[in-house]
């Protein structure tokens, strides 16, 4: 600071000298012959010099923010998690608010939801919060205060309801032990192996995506799924906080050699993986020295048997070794001659700048790029508070990036001459060498403005700089060159920035980037939070205009989506920047997603391969759910209005979810021929079975409606275009669902468990010896018997569709790749020419041909009962009636039951204390309505519970579910545990947030 003030004094002296020169010049003119200055050049016309453009005013609070950044390496006030939740510290510093990034169901716009205040008690009011940091997956949030206290919160399963996790640790009691650097360790297995999406090459809707696997050897918590982080205190104490197998937190600590003296404490620290399961630590002290350490955690975890949960373990030991210390770590000017003519030596002057950011970048997974672990220090000059006139150039505050590469070599400690000693038994080369680390400074980079935030992106291969003038800039790490649009090379895309997406200028004091760095959460000193989005700089993607740049932009969006999917990040921000797309662009986008995620959706054509491939899609391919979720979202308007493609995706998502539950419960019971459905499983199974039976009704309704439309208004030729047009006109894609292999195989697999469940329900609801048992099974039996036809008729239609499709594939002798192409077309709402014969037979012979081998469907069902059966609650109808119904009702999308509105359904529980509570619960308690309940008492209960939401809502599609928590009336412990497993996310694969009650859904 003294250096800065000295420089300012020098500038004042220069100003005074310049003012004296101006006065002398004016005196000379006053004593002259009043000659017009323009006449000296032969021009008597007055010419005035244009005024210099005004310099941009520094953002309010910039000086104070730079003071915060220079005093500590941990002072991030706002942070956007990888699962889509923004946390920020209020302006007074004594509260933490959460806001979930979500989609408004009615407008379709994405925004940050309402504020939710975190309960941080018993935080000490003497110490304000100074730093926020999310774990890699976004499930945990660490909050630091100015005294070094650490508060950890967990957010499962609802994003904006976080629980404080207590830790077995010793918290500091006085200010002065603040944390100056922290780092989250990797979480297994999510961050151990990733598929890296490098680039896309192609044109139009045909792109090839380069995706390779990479194994990372980052320091990690050895227990799968458990989080941990390490932090450094101001005076050299190192702390490792980690989760035990049961989810509780513990702490281990060490010191960096002798405790740092109070006169030379650390101000900033940063950690990086050394690619060998250890960490490198860089720490900067008040004497401008940079310290390099190596940190290794020795975990004491006892071995566990496969399939068994790890046991509680002792605290790990932290081993720290100092590697190097470098003095005079600050930015310097270019070398200048010091005035000694004879020697001609050069010196460099320290620039008046303070350290504001310290980061440690590990090596990258890119082969051959030559990167080393790199310490990156950002120094910033203070805002200029001296006023200058136009005759002088005012220096704009800026930042300087200073970097050191960490070189690691193996050095033999013995001299080679020892090989000449004849008595020795080993050669020098056979003696293990020691690891030698050295820091090599690389040229500094001067930035155009003050850097307020920095983020390493995409496996640390890209760098994002956020400046005080509102610029958000992306640079290539290896070259430090800015990444700008490349419109001349539209055949290859590597990032959104290259494809023409960039942030508009908007100065902000605090900023955090979204998971895909295409949006930013911004906050100034007033505490108001808003979002910024990248903009597409060349036209719009909402039209079908043929342009290579538009195709490249879509490919870049899918490339980023693929990268996100492989890193378990939320992709909602990508869909928020897409905007309106034409129907063709939507189909192109989903088609490119199949390519970018390398998703094979063909389930084969014979019985030996089909089960394996369909089971892979059923349980082990999250990319399938992500693709279907995107297709569903792009065609969704409101809560139930869906395009054909959106409806197909939503039906497949539900079928997949239902089939997973059916098969899981069936396997739990072992030999189902001998073991009936257990009573504790029945309550959660009623809604599932009701959905299956009524979905069959819906499918028959749609198929017969399309069949009759074609029969009553027969086209001249029933070709592919005519059938597709009719399906889209009526918005009834059931026939496409039967042609599509995955949902068809899943529906075909329902037959065995359904027969078993029906047999159990009929037996125990009619002939059980006790009334309690009959009461448990009665709702299940009712749900299974509501269908106006024998459910096996639907199974017969599915089996016929299987035979027809298989015959088409065999007749055409299609390869697996060609079949996969057909299956993608079906999911996109189009019928391949190959499968047109199967579609025709299903809509003609299967429905109406009474001479058909097994008879036609119309002769076996009462069509009037099918058409007038109300399946509105399934959410698959696009009509005014359906919209009105969902305005006054809420359906639990996971439990498949109506939980608000007329006809609210209840759970029948096993005989217990819960059963008595259930009998007195009112519908408004989100379980079910019982006639005769005192409304006054219910209102009092609701008033008492005000502020506590009992609903969850999907952040993307807006679907609801009951906010089921432990000890909730009407739910057994087993039921709640089951829901916690199957309903961690919405059916579309996205996160839950707390949802508000619908005003009209009583």
């Amino acid at each position: 600071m003294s250096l800065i003030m000295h420089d300012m004094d020098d500038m004042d002296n220069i100003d005074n000298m310049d003012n004296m020169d101006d006065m002398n010049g004016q005196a000379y003119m006053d004593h002259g012959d009043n000659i017009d200055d323009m006449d000296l050049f032969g021009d008597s016309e007055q010419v005035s010099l244009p005024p210099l453009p005004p310099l941009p005013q520094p953002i309010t609070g910039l000086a104070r923010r730079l003071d915060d950044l220079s005093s500590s390496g941990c002072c991030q006030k706002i942070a956007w998690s990888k699962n889509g939740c923004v946390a920020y510290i209020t302006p007074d510093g004594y509260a933490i608010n959460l806001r979930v990034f979500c989609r408004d169901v009615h407008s379709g716009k994405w925004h940050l939801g309402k504020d939710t205040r975190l309960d941080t008690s018993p935080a000490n009011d003497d110490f304000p919060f100074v730093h926020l940091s999310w774990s890699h997956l976004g499930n945990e949030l660490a909050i630091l205060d100015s005294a070094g206290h650490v508060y950890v919160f967990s957010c499962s399963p609802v994003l904006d309801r976080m629980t404080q996790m207590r830790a077995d640790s010793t918290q500091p009691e006085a200010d002065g032990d603040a944390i100056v650097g922290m780092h989250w360790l990797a979480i297994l297995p999510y961050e151990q192996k990733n598929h890296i999406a490098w680039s896309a090459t192609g044109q139009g809707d045909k792109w090839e995506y380069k995706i390779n696997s990479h194994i990372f050897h980052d320091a990690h918590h050895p227990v799968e799924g458990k989080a941990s982080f390490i932090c450094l205190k101001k005076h050299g104490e190192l702390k490792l906080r980690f989760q035990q197998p049961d989810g509780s937190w513990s702490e281990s600590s060490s010191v960096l050699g002798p405790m740092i003296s109070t006169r030379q404490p650390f101000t900033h620290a940063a950690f990086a993986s050394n690619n060998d399961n250890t960490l490198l630590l860089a720490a900067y002290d008040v004497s401008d020295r940079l310290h390099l350490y190596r940190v290794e955690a020795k975990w004491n975890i006892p071995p566990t048997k496969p399939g068994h949960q790890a046991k509680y373990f002792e605290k790990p030991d932290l081993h720290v070794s100092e590697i190097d210390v470098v003095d005079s770590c600050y930015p310097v000017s270019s070398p200048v001659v010091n005035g000694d003519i004879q020697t001609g030596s050069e010196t460099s002057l320290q620039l008046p700048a303070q350290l504001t950011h310290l980061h440690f970048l590990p090596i990258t997974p890119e082969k051959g790029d030559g990167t080393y672990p790199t310490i990156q220090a950002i120094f910033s000059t203070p805002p200029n508070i001296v006023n200058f006139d136009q005759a002088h150039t005012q220096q704009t505050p800026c930042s300087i990036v200073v970097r050191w590469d960490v070189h690691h070599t193996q050095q033999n400690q013995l001299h080679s001459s020892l090989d000449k000693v004849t008595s020795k038994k080993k050669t020098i080369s056979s003696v293990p060498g020691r690891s030698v680390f050295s820091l090599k400074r690389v040229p500094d980079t001067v930035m155009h403005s003050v850097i307020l935030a920095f983020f390493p992106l995409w496996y640390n291969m890209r760098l994002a700089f956020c400046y005080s003038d509102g610029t958000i800039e992306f640079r290539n790490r290896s070259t430090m060159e800015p990444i700008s649009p490349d419109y001349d090379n539209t055949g290859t895309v590597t990032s959104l920035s290259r494809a023409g997406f960039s942030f508009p200028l908007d100065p902000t004091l605090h900023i955090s980037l979204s998971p895909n760095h295409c949006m930013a959460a911004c906050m100034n000193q007033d505490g108001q939070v808003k979002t910024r989005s990248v903009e597409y700089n060349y036209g719009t993607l909402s039209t079908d205009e043929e342009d290579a740049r538009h195709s490249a932009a879509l490919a870049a969006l899918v490339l980023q989506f693929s990268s996100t999917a492989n890193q378990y990040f939320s992709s909602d921000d990508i869909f928020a920047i897409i905007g309106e797309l034409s129907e063709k662009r939507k189909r192109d986008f989903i088609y490119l997603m199949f390519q970018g995620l390398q998703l094979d959706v063909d389930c084969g054509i014979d019985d030996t391969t089909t089960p394996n491939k369909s089971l892979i899609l059923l349980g082990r391919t999250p990319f399938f759910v992500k693709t279907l979720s995107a297709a569903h979202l792009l065609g969704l308007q409101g809560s139930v209005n869906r395009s054909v493609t959106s409806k197909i995706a939503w039906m497949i998502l539900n079928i997949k979810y239902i089939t997973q539950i059916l098969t899981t419960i069936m396997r739990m019971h072992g030999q189902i021929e001998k073991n009936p459905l257990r009573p504790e499983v029945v309550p959660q199974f009623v809604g599932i079975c009701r959905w299956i039976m009524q979905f069959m009704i819906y499918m028959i309704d749609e198929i017969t409606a399309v069949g009759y439309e074609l029969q009553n208004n027969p086209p001249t030729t029933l070709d592919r275009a005519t059938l597709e047009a009719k399906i889209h006109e009526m918005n009834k894609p059931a026939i496409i669902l039967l042609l599509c292999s995955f949902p068809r195989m899943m529906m075909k697999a329902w037959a065995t468990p359904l027969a078993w469940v029906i047999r159990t329900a009929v037996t125990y609801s009619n002939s059980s010896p006790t009334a309690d048992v009959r009461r448990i099974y009665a709702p299940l039996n009712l749900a299974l018997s509501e269908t106006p036809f024998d459910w096996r008729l639907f199974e017969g239609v599915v089996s016929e569709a299987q035979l027809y499709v298989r015959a088409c594939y065999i007749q055409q002798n299609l390869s697996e790749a060609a079949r996969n192409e057909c299956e993608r077309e079906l999911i996109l709402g189009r019928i391949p020419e190959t499968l047109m014969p199967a579609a025709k037979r299903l809509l003609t012979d299967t429905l109406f041909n009474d001479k058909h081998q097994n008879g036609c469907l119309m002769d076996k069902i009462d069509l009037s009962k099918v058409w007038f059966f109300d399946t509105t609650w399934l959410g698959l109808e696009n009509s005014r009636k359906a919209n009105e119904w969902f305005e006054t009702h809420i359906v639990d999308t996971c439990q498949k039951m109506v939980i608000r509105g007329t006809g609210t359904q209840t759970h029948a529980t096993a005989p217990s204390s819960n059963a008595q509570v259930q009998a007195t619960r009112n519908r408004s308690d989100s379980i079910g309505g019982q006639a005769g309940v005192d409304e006054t008492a219910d209102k009092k209960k609701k008033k008492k519970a005000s502020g506590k939401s009992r609903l969850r809502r999907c952040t993307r599609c807006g679907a609801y579910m009951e906010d089921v928590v432990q000890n909730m009336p009407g739910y057994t412990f087993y039921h709640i545990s089951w829901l916690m497993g199957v309903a961690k996310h919405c059916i579309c694969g996205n996160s839950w947030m707390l949802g508000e009650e619908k005003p009209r859904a009583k």
Side-chain angles (χ1 to χ4, degrees), residues 585-738:
R585 294 253 187 246
K586 291 177 183 178
R587 287 194 300 268
D588 290 345
F589 184 81
I590 301 303
Y591 185 81
L592 288 174
M593 286 182 62
F594 281 115
Q595 296 178 332
L597 294 175
Q598 300 178 344
L599 188 58
D600 183 359
V601 292
D602 169 48
C603 291
I605 58 175
D606 58 73
D607 294 331
T608 58
T609 61
T610 298
N612 294 333
K613 301 193 72 173
S614 61
L615 288 177
I616 289 175
L617 288 175
L618 176 64
R620 289 180 287 172
T621 308
F623 295 162
F624 189 34
V625 173
K626 294 179 183 295
T627 306
L628 293 173
S629 178
H632 173 236
L633 175 66
L634 291 179
L636 177 63
Q637 294 182 349
S639 57
V640 292
N641 288 339
R642 299 178 174 90
S643 66
V644 165
T645 303
S646 177
K647 187 180 289 188
I648 291 172
W650 184 241
M651 288 194 289
I652 296 177
L653 285 168
N654 277 274
I655 290 170
K656 182 179 187 295
Y657 171 79
I658 291 291
T659 309
Q660 284 177 313
I661 293 176
L662 274 179
T663 54
T664 300
I665 291 181
M666 186 173 63
R667 289 173 181 171
M668 284 170 43
H669 288 74
Q671 296 181 337
I672 59 176
E673 299 83 3
K674 301 178 181 179
N675 302 320
L677 184 69
R678 297 200 294 265
E680 66 269 21
V681 181
V682 172
Q684 58 264 35
F685 213 39
V686 174
I688 301 297
C689 290
R690 180 180 289 115
W691 188 93
I692 292 173
M693 305 307 288
Q694 297 199 20
F695 182 72
M696 293 181 181
I697 302 172
Y698 175 82
M699 289 287 290
I700 295 296
D701 187 343
E702 275 208 355
I703 297 169
T704 54
V706 174
Y708 268 109
E709 178 66 21
L710 294 173
Q711 188 180 56
N712 296 334
N713 301 283
T716 54
T717 57
L718 184 56
D719 55 9
R720 170 183 175 177
T722 303
L723 181 56
E724 282 184 5
K726 183 60 65 177
I727 290 172
H728 283 266
E729 175 192 343
M730 301 178 68
N731 200 277
K732 295 184 180 296
I735 188 67
I736 295 179
L737 208 67
L738 288 175

Side-chain angles (χ1 to χ4, degrees), residues 74-285:
C74 287
C75 60
Q76 181 173 255
K77 299 297 192 296
I78 187 169
W80 197 323
S81 73
K82 295 301 186 294
N83 60 9
C85 190
V86 173
Y88 68 94
I89 302 174
T90 56
D92 62 6
Y94 291 96
I96 307 296
N97 286 344
L98 297 179
R99 297 181 69 178
V100 178
F101 188 63
C102 57
R103 172 181 165 272
D104 184 89
V105 175
H106 298 289
S107 66
K109 303 296 183 181
W110 292 86
H111 65 103
L112 289 175
K114 64 178 182 178
D115 281 329
T116 300
R117 182 64 55 90
L118 271 186
D119 182 7
T120 55
S121 58
N124 193 322
D125 292 338
D126 296 333
F127 306 116
F129 299 117
V130 296
H131 184 74
L132 298 169
S133 180
W134 291 95
S135 64
H136 295 298
L137 298 182
N139 296 328
E140 288 82 24
L141 173 65
I143 304 170
L144 316 181
D145 68 14
S146 61
H149 300 99
V150 183
Y151 305 90
V152 180
F153 289 80
S154 179
C155 62
S156 178
V158 181
L159 291 183
D160 48 347
R161 184 178 58 216
M162 305 194 73
T163 304
Q164 186 171 352
M165 310 301 294
R166 308 296 178 182
D168 175 19
S169 64
T170 303
Q171 294 279 25
E173 295 298 331
D175 193 3
D177 200 17
I179 295 173
V180 296
M182 71 168 295
H183 172 80
W184 288 91
L185 273 64
I187 301 177
L188 297 182
Y190 308 102
E191 298 176 88
Q192 189 173 35
K193 180 179 180 180
N194 278 150
H195 303 288
I196 302 177
W198 294 96
S199 62
T201 305
Q203 60 181 355
D205 59 352
K206 300 294 183 182
W207 290 81
E208 292 291 334
Y209 288 83
K210 179 185 176 184
I211 300 178
N212 294 327
S213 298
H214 184 81
I215 302 295
F216 292 86
H217 301 284
D218 297 344
H220 58 271
H221 193 306
V223 178
E224 288 193 358
K226 300 305 176 185
S228 56
F229 62 88
I230 191 169
C231 54
L232 178 67
K233 296 292 188 70
K234 187 176 182 179
H235 297 295
E237 185 180 11
L238 199 65
K239 286 185 174 290
L240 173 67
R241 188 169 289 191
F242 56 93
Q243 274 186 303
Q244 291 284 356
D246 62 356
S248 63
W249 286 78
S250 300
E251 187 175 87
S252 182
S253 63
S254 181
V255 293
L256 304 183
M259 293 296 286
I260 306 300
S261 70
T262 57
R263 299 180 60 184
Q264 294 179 333
F266 294 123
T267 62
H268 296 74
F271 298 82
S273 168
N274 194 38
N275 204 35
D276 61 356
N277 298 325
T278 65
L279 285 172
L280 294 176
L281 164 63
Y284 192 87
D285 65 24

